[in-house]
Amino acid sequence: MATTKWNLDAAHSEVQFKVRHMMVSTVTGHFNKFDATVEMQDDDVSTARVHFTADLSSITTNNEQRDGHLRSGDFFDAENHPQIIFDSTKMEQAGDDYKLHGTLTMRGVSKPVVLDVEYGGVIQDPWGLTRAGFSVAGKLSRKEFGVSWSQVTETGGIVVSDEVKLHANVEFTKEQPAA
C-alpha cells in the first residue's frame, strides 16, 4: 500500500464554532489561521489520519473586545496554550459518511472526541491537482477542556453555554510525488 499525503487548501477552507450566549442567541466565531494534513493508504478515506492545528491568536467573532477575552486566561489562555490540536486515531465508515475519532488538545487538556465527516469526493482541477473536500461537524463541552469561565445573569441564566458546536468545510490537494 502506498501512503498519500493531502495538504490543506486554506483559501478554500473554513473552521467555525458556535456557542449559545445568554441562552437566547448564538455567537459564531472562526479561526483565520489553521492548518491540516491528511495521510491515507492508497487514497482510501477510511484509512485517513488527520493532523489539525488552529492558531488561537487568529480567533475572531467580529468583536475585538470579545476576541481579546476569548484569548485571555478566562477562556483559551492563548499566551500559554497558543494552539488547538487534533490528531485522529481512526476514520470509521458510517453509511455514506464517516466518524472521525481522535484526540483534541485545548488549553493543555487532551480528550477523545468523535466528529461527523461528510466526504465531498475527489476531483481533478484544471491545473492538474487532485482535490478532496470534507465537511466536519461535532459538539464538545468546553468545560471538559478547562475553558470554564462563566457568569450567571440576574434571572439565573448562563452567559455562555458549555456546549460548543464545531463546523469545518475543508479542501485538500494531493501532494505530488517527487519527480
Side-chain angles (χ1 to χ4, degrees):
M1 282 201 247
T3 299
T4 56
K5 185 175 180 183
W6 298 74
N7 297 304
L8 182 73
D9 178 353
H12 298 102
S13 299
E14 63 184 3
V15 176
Q16 296 181 330
F17 59 91
K18 295 182 179 290
V19 180
R20 300 277 295 168
H21 179 254
M22 300 285 187
M23 308 318 289
V24 296
S25 67
T26 300
V27 172
T28 300
H30 65 272
F31 298 97
N32 288 321
K33 294 179 187 173
F34 55 92
D35 195 18
T37 56
V38 176
E39 289 188 358
M40 294 184 238
Q41 299 301 313
D42 294 326
D43 296 337
D44 178 0
V45 173
S46 68
T47 67
R49 293 291 187 252
V50 178
H51 176 73
F52 168 84
T53 59
D55 183 343
L56 286 169
S57 69
S58 76
I59 197 168
T60 183
T61 62
N62 293 320
N63 179 295
E64 192 56 45
Q65 183 178 359
R66 179 174 47 226
D67 297 345
H69 193 203
L70 289 172
R71 288 188 285 268
S72 78
D74 283 347
F75 284 93
F76 291 110
D77 192 16
E79 185 176 326
N80 294 307
H81 306 283
Q83 291 186 323
I84 293 173
I85 300 168
F86 174 81
D87 283 304
S88 71
T89 54
K90 75 175 179 176
M91 180 81 90
E92 174 183 35
Q93 191 148 9
D96 292 336
D97 297 322
Y98 295 86
K99 298 283 185 184
L100 181 61
H101 299 255
T103 302
L104 182 71
T105 302
M106 185 167 39
R107 200 178 162 121
V109 177
S110 298
K111 297 271 186 186
V113 296
V114 179
L115 304 170
D116 296 320
V117 177
E118 181 181 318
Y119 176 48
V122 172
I123 59 105
Q124 194 77 24
D125 75 14
W127 302 276
L129 295 174
T130 303
R131 294 180 176 274
F134 301 88
S135 180
V136 181
K139 295 178 184 178
L140 60 88
S141 161
R142 66 183 178 88
K143 292 178 182 176
E144 287 183 5
F145 292 90
V147 183
S148 57
W149 182 90
S150 190
Q151 287 187 336
V152 178
T153 65
E154 284 182 14
T155 58
I158 298 172
V159 174
V160 181
S161 70
D162 177 43
E163 181 182 85
V164 179
K165 294 179 182 178
L166 308 172
H167 189 78
N169 288 304
V170 288
E171 188 172 306
F172 293 86
T173 57
K174 186 175 182 180
E175 196 170 274
Q176 302 299 320

